[in-house]
Amino acid sequence: DSVLLGSSMTTNFDTSKFMDEMGLKTQKLSYNGAYPKDQDNILKIVFEEKREEFEKFRSLLLEYNEKYNLTSITEEKDIYYKHFLDSVIGERFFKEGARVCEIGSGAGFPSIPLKILRPDLKLDLFESVGKKCAFLQAVVDNFQFKDVHIYNIRAEEGAKSVDFREKYKDVIRLHIKIL
């Protein structure tokens, strides 16, 4: 199964076709701004227990955003709610040590907040834009994350590659609207 997480965006990328090519089923999370009761502790973890790590990521995001235009969301409260909390809402769907593929990693949502929350996850991030890959690599290096690999290729290329095809049980991507 795969999980689509995060806030809405619009794209020409056909996620359904990609999922079919990768041999995956989709499980869409929908919470309409209300977090499930079993996720009450997520707020405590993000705002208290892991606050230092999330602040470090927010700082890197804002620093690189000046050079690379990674996000239009730059206010602290908005970053925490629209990026961080939206990204980690589905963390319970991943088994311990799951190998997860993220398509269209962009600024690292939901992958980086998930990795902060769940260091056990093994992440393969697919991003076609080189400057976004440079940012992601800076984050991985800065946090000294283990088991995070960044691939500067289009997801469609990855789906056709024997190196990646049918290698993932879990795929994440921001929730999107198909044009």
Side-chain angles (χ1 to χ4, degrees), residues 125-136:
L125 312 181
F126 291 83
E127 174 55 54
S128 64
V129 178
K131 64 184 181 179
K132 292 177 182 177
C133 289
F135 166 70
L136 293 168

Side-chain angles (χ1 to χ4, degrees), residues 4-179:
L4 301 179
L5 300 171
S7 40
S8 295
M9 62 180 272
T10 304
T11 183
N12 287 321
F13 180 74
D14 188 344
T15 302
S16 299
K17 181 180 177 194
F18 174 80
M19 296 300 201
D20 288 343
E21 289 175 356
M22 293 291 279
L24 297 164
K25 296 176 184 155
T26 301
Q27 178 177 2
K28 181 180 173 186
L29 299 180
S30 177
Y31 61 93
N32 298 322
Y35 293 93
K37 289 183 182 178
D38 64 336
Q39 292 291 305
D40 285 344
N41 67 336
I42 292 292
L43 292 170
K44 183 179 180 192
I45 293 169
V46 172
F47 285 105
E48 294 175 23
E49 295 172 19
K50 298 277 188 171
R51 178 70 180 221
E52 187 176 319
E53 290 94 334
F54 280 101
E55 272 300 303
K56 182 178 176 180
F57 180 45
R58 186 176 74 86
S59 177
L60 284 168
L61 177 68
L62 293 174
E63 176 188 337
Y64 278 79
N65 195 51
E66 291 180 18
K67 296 185 269 187
Y68 296 153
N69 192 28
L70 299 167
T71 181
S72 62
I73 298 170
T74 58
E75 296 298 320
E76 180 178 13
K77 180 180 177 184
D78 291 339
I79 289 173
Y80 270 87
Y81 282 94
K82 295 179 181 178
H83 281 324
F84 297 164
L85 290 174
D86 278 0
S87 292
V88 299
I89 191 68
E91 64 84 22
R92 69 187 185 280
F93 289 99
F94 300 105
K95 292 181 180 178
E96 180 82 22
R99 183 175 181 205
V100 181
C101 167
E102 180 177 54
I103 53 175
S105 296
F109 301 109
S111 59
I112 301 301
L114 279 171
K115 185 68 173 177
I116 291 170
L117 198 68
R118 294 276 310 274
D120 62 291
L121 296 176
K122 297 169 181 68
L123 301 174
D124 287 347
L125 312 181
F126 291 83
E127 174 55 54
S128 64
V129 178
K131 64 184 181 179
K132 292 177 182 177
C133 289
F135 166 70
L136 293 168
Q137 190 61 60
V139 171
V140 168
D141 293 346
N142 199 288
F143 277 87
Q144 298 180 342
F145 283 143
K146 304 289 184 231
D147 297 317
V148 178
H149 306 281
I150 301 161
Y151 300 98
N152 188 197
I153 61 172
R154 295 186 53 78
E156 297 90 341
E157 294 170 28
K160 295 174 185 171
S161 169
V162 294
D163 293 332
F164 305 114
R165 186 167 175 74
E166 299 180 13
K167 302 280 188 218
Y168 305 96
K169 184 179 185 310
D170 299 300
V171 175
I172 55 177
R173 175 157 171 79
L174 287 175
H175 175 215
I176 58 167
K177 297 175 187 173
I178 304 298
L179 292 177

